[in-house]
Amino acid sequence: MPGPLQISGSVSIPEAELGWRFSRSSGPGGQGVNTTDSRVELSFDLAATEALGPVFKARALERLGPRLVNGVITIAASEFRSQLRNREAAEMRLAQMLREAIAPPPKKRRPTKPSRGAVERRIAAKKRRSDLKRLRGDQS
């Protein structure tokens, strides 16, 4: 766990840019929950980071805008009883979130037109259905 947080093949965040806070968790843990600081908050200053290139940084700031508070993204993890597992969970969540935020935008959809054969088959099927209904109704 110590060392840089690997986001993708070429992008990693140095450990010095990650801020950790620990507090008491309200989750499972029995009597131990009152005495151990197992809840983890991981903070990362996206606006001030040097780990991301200008393109990745702009893309991430745009996509994660609503989640940022003064350019800082915070992830809280308290689902496990141990602080170590909560730290790992928070790191995994931050890495996944940043991976999705810096991903290139999807390619534009190129509009297509149905082939002439497909149009003819569709119209022929409609005509067959129409004839069937027309013949069914006039039997008085």
Side-chain angles (χ1 to χ4, degrees), residues 25 28 38-39 77-83 85-87 89:
S25 176
S38 60
R39 182 175 186 270
S78 62
E79 55 265 21
F80 298 107
R81 287 177 62 163
S82 84
Q83 186 185 101
R85 291 194 53 200
N86 283 330
R87 284 178 69 129

Side-chain angles (χ1 to χ4, degrees), residues 56-100:
F56 285 159
K57 191 172 177 179
R59 201 180 286 164
L61 283 169
E62 179 188 337
R63 291 183 182 169
L64 296 175
R67 282 211 54 159
L68 299 177
V69 177
N70 297 329
V72 177
I73 188 161
T74 304
I75 308 256
S78 62
E79 55 265 21
F80 298 107
R81 287 177 62 163
S82 84
Q83 186 185 101
L84 181 66
R85 291 194 53 200
N86 283 330
R87 284 178 69 129
E88 291 168 352
E91 279 188 339
M92 282 176 34
R93 263 192 260 157
L94 177 65
Q96 181 63 34
M97 192 177 292
L98 289 174
R99 207 173 292 123
E100 291 170 3

Side-chain angles (χ1 to χ4, degrees), residues 1 3 10 26 28 32 46 49 51 58-59 69 73 89 94 98 116 126:
M1 209 169 71
S10 61
S26 63
L46 186 59
T49 186
R59 201 180 286 164
V69 177
I73 188 161
L94 177 65
L98 289 174
R116 190 180 338 165
K126 285 171 67 111

